[in-house]
Amino acid sequence: MNKPLPNFRSKIAVVTVARSDFGIYLPVLRRLQKAAWADLQIVAGAAHLSQRHGHTVDWIVSEGFTVSAEVPITDNTNDARGVARGSAEATLGFADAFEKLQPDLIVLLGDRFEMHAAAVAAVPFAIPITHLHGGETTQGAIDESYRHSLTKMSHLHFASTAAYANRIIQMGENPDNVVVSGAPGLDHLETFQPMSVADLETRLSLSLPVPPLAVTFHPETLSNRTAEQQLQPLLEVLASSPHPAVISQPNADPGNSAILKALQAFASDHSERVRLVSNLGTQAYFSLLHHAAAMVGNSSSGIIEAASFELPVVNIGDRQKGRLHGENVINCGYGQTDIESALRLACSHAFQSKLNGMTNPYGNGTASKLIVDELELRLRSGLSVRKPFHDMPGYVKTIGKVA
């Protein structure tokens, strides 16, 4: 399957399953929407369609996009069975969507189980798959397995750093199909103008007499601790902090219900200085990072986007373990004393002054143009779904005799 596409009008199906990936996709989507050669098809599923997670499909529409297909799944992904059931439902739903839309290319991002289901659904259709943010590692989450499996089902890879590109090649992918693009979520910064503190206060209905903490905490799904045990020390620290806190809801991972319930109770008990939000949108969220004293939690946003704001980050636990990060990130354990010590350092003038002029290892905000230009080039020449394994040179240790 290596033929040029006739008349070169290509149907590009971009799969989005949550607010987190849609915010990263946005610069790419806007370029695809304007590209004369591309017919953009947005396939929205999973948490986007959940009222409990903010029904963020409305955000997609508010940004001026049309949703070509919706893939609802169970809202109960709080445990292993729920995730497995959601994966099965998503596979069926994405298969129906791809059969209906007949895309020429499917674009996937990251490591969610719902994204993995989309790839599983696409393989029998022999549709080329493009994967963004492969080769990364998050040792404290089941997403680690989904991400690397996605790599092996994909045909064109856009890696956020050279180190991650090398890891994709190490997994047997053809180097010619691995492109270092940087992180597309950083492209927002090209036109970003921060909201004033007063406007941010209005948006949040929260007074910000001092810079706030931006807090995002997801379940660490490979931890021996329960979700409540993971979260409680952080809540103790936030309760005694002099900073207001803006807390984002957790992803739809196993354990998310317990964390969401605890955060809702905490925000209610401290309503004068804490806000829990389901979705701020890119402008308000980046404005929060611009004005914040520090970011606290275990979100990939603390690893990738925060560096562009020279924002100190307290990264708790092992969820993001193994990811490259800038000098703005302070890793710490789950203990209350550990978090307090890390946050004290993060908010110190000495630490913050060291971040002036720092470089973000995930790029400079030019990824979306590179990605869309490369997609056009590959599709014009015909993108094959054949995947010869690329063997790496090296030594092989054998045990016993091999015929």
Side-chain angles (χ1 to χ4, degrees):
M1 190 168 294
N2 203 11
K3 58 183 180 181
L5 298 169
N7 302 321
F8 200 65
R9 284 292 297 182
S10 296
K11 293 184 287 186
I12 312 297
V14 178
V15 174
T16 175
V17 298
R19 71 172 194 265
S20 53
D21 70 69
F22 180 69
I24 296 169
Y25 269 138
L26 254 176
V28 177
L29 293 174
R30 286 174 176 144
R31 285 188 180 275
L32 284 172
Q33 190 179 48
K34 294 176 182 177
W37 59 269
D39 290 329
L40 176 61
Q41 303 171 324
I42 294 182
V43 182
H48 275 310
L49 308 176
S50 165
Q51 294 292 345
R52 191 162 68 93
H53 293 284
H55 201 251
T56 48
V57 68
D58 297 334
W59 180 25
I60 299 174
V61 174
S62 74
E63 293 287 350
F65 298 103
T66 299
V67 175
S68 302
E70 294 186 353
V71 180
I73 68 169
T74 177
D75 201 31
N76 182 19
T77 56
N78 191 53
D79 55 23
R81 185 178 182 278
V83 169
R85 178 182 170 184
S87 295
E89 292 176 356
T91 301
L92 288 171
F94 285 121
D96 290 342
F98 298 151
E99 183 177 45
K100 168 192 168 187
L101 298 175
Q102 294 291 303
D104 298 305
L105 179 78
I106 294 170
V107 182
L108 307 177
L109 186 151
D111 51 21
R112 296 287 308 169
F113 71 86
E114 306 96 329
M115 283 287 179
H116 187 266
V120 171
V123 167
F125 290 94
I127 304 169
I129 299 171
T130 292
H131 186 211
L132 281 61
H133 277 284
E136 301 176 18
T137 183
T138 49
Q139 296 177 20
I142 58 173
D143 300 354
E144 174 90 348
S145 298
Y146 290 125
R147 183 188 302 106
H148 299 326
S149 180
L150 271 162
T151 290
K152 294 310 301 176
M153 289 187 282
S154 299
H155 308 92
L156 179 61
H157 310 271
F158 291 101
S160 58
T161 74
Y164 297 147
N166 288 335
R167 189 174 288 151
I168 292 169
I169 296 167
Q170 184 181 340
M171 287 190 281
E173 296 301 293
N174 184 342
D176 291 340
N177 294 331
V178 182
V179 180
V180 180
S181 63
L186 299 181
D187 290 20
H188 290 291
L189 298 172
E190 182 180 6
T191 58
F192 170 68
Q193 293 294 324
M195 300 166 63
S196 68
V197 172
D199 287 344
L200 189 59
E201 288 178 323
T202 300
R203 174 73 171 79
L204 296 168
S205 297
L206 179 67
S207 176
L208 302 175
V210 296
L213 300 177
V215 182
T216 305
F217 192 90
H218 305 300
E220 186 178 305
T221 46
L222 294 180
S223 173
N224 293 325
R225 299 176 177 86
T226 66
E228 296 96 324
Q229 290 171 336
Q230 295 171 36
L231 177 65
Q232 192 55 43
L234 172 58
L235 295 184
E236 297 293 337
V237 172
L238 295 178
S240 60
S241 170
H243 296 273
V246 181
I247 308 176
S248 300
Q249 287 189 186
N251 287 339
D253 296 315
N256 75 86
S257 289
I259 287 182
L260 180 57
K261 183 178 179 181
L263 290 176
Q264 288 170 334
F266 182 80
S268 177
D269 291 344
H270 300 82
S271 59
E272 76 286 351
R273 49 181 294 274
V274 175
R275 283 293 174 274
L276 177 64
V277 296
S278 60
N279 180 50
L280 279 176
T282 303
Q283 171 73 3
Y285 179 68
F286 274 23
S287 295
L288 173 63
L289 299 189
H290 175 80
H291 293 297
M295 189 172 187
V296 186
N298 58 10
S299 169
S300 61
S301 183
I303 304 297
I304 298 174
E305 285 93 353
S308 293
F309 295 88
E310 300 176 354
L311 179 66
V313 174
V314 175
N315 181 54
I316 302 169
D318 289 343
R319 184 178 173 96
Q320 301 298 334
K321 187 175 181 180
R323 264 194 166 138
L324 297 173
H325 61 73
E327 56 191 311
N328 61 314
V329 176
I330 303 167
N331 296 304
C332 72
Y334 278 109
Q336 181 177 343
T337 302
D338 289 343
I339 299 171
E340 287 174 338
S341 176
L343 184 57
R344 192 178 307 116
L345 175 60
C347 293
S348 70
H349 176 73
F351 183 80
Q352 293 181 352
S353 64
K354 292 195 305 182
L355 306 183
N356 293 333
M358 71 168 291
T359 299
N360 190 330
Y362 289 89
N364 57 6
T366 58
S368 61
K369 183 179 187 307
L370 188 155
I371 290 169
V372 173
D373 286 350
E374 189 70 21
L375 288 179
E376 180 181 7
L377 178 66
R378 298 301 181 112
L379 287 168
R380 280 192 183 278
S381 62
L383 183 60
S384 176
V385 295
R386 295 181 183 273
K387 283 180 55 103
F389 197 94
H390 176 76
D391 289 310
M392 297 285 287
Y395 296 101
V396 178
K397 180 180 179 182
T398 59
I399 301 175
K401 294 182 179 179
V402 180

